[in-house]
Amino acid sequence: MTSPVTDSGHIGADGAYADLIAHNGHLLAGAVAVIAAGEGPLVVHGPGAEHHTSLVLALAFLAAGVPDDEAVAAALTAEPHPAALRQALADVAALGGVEPYLLRNGLTVTHFLALRERFAGDDAGFAAGDVS
């Protein structure tokens, strides 16, 4: 499966995700929907030198109900700019939080339920550290 996040939502030189969050939430929600619809092992990567991966992973984990600290810690493994990810999540929180943000941008309740099933418990591989 491929992600709908494209070059139109690239991060700036300072690592800020502000433009992506403000103007391309539908792309982020689309990428999270791909994760929700997927089966089997999860492999996520960003295009070229861009690092949307950590933000998409953090949003997916948070939408799945993974506790904040665990979700951020897992997503940070894919982020070369940790402060940028933390700021991006703060920006999403300022817009009402992960769930309202993703719902406004096209994620459905069915996607949320699929994410919760995918990342529930140790059998999902998340707790064992298998997500990369």
Side-chain angles (χ1 to χ4, degrees), residues 5-7 9-13 17 45-54 78 80:
V5 176
T6 66
D7 290 340
H10 69 281
I11 61 175
Y17 290 97
H45 64 86
E50 303 302 328
H51 295 278
H52 305 105
T53 306
S54 62

Side-chain angles (χ1 to χ4, degrees), residues 35-112:
I35 293 171
E39 295 181 17
L42 173 63
V43 178
V44 182
H45 64 86
E50 303 302 328
H51 295 278
H52 305 105
T53 306
S54 62
L55 181 56
V56 170
L57 285 173
L59 292 173
F61 294 149
L62 292 167
V66 173
D68 289 1
D69 291 342
E70 290 179 41
V72 172
L76 280 173
T77 63
E79 177 57 60
H81 309 288
L85 176 61
R86 288 188 178 94
Q87 182 59 55
L89 294 174
D91 291 348
V92 171
L95 293 171
V98 171
E99 289 186 13
Y101 176 79
L102 291 173
L103 284 168
R104 279 193 310 272
N105 284 289
L107 210 65
T108 67
V109 171
T110 302
H111 290 125
F112 280 96

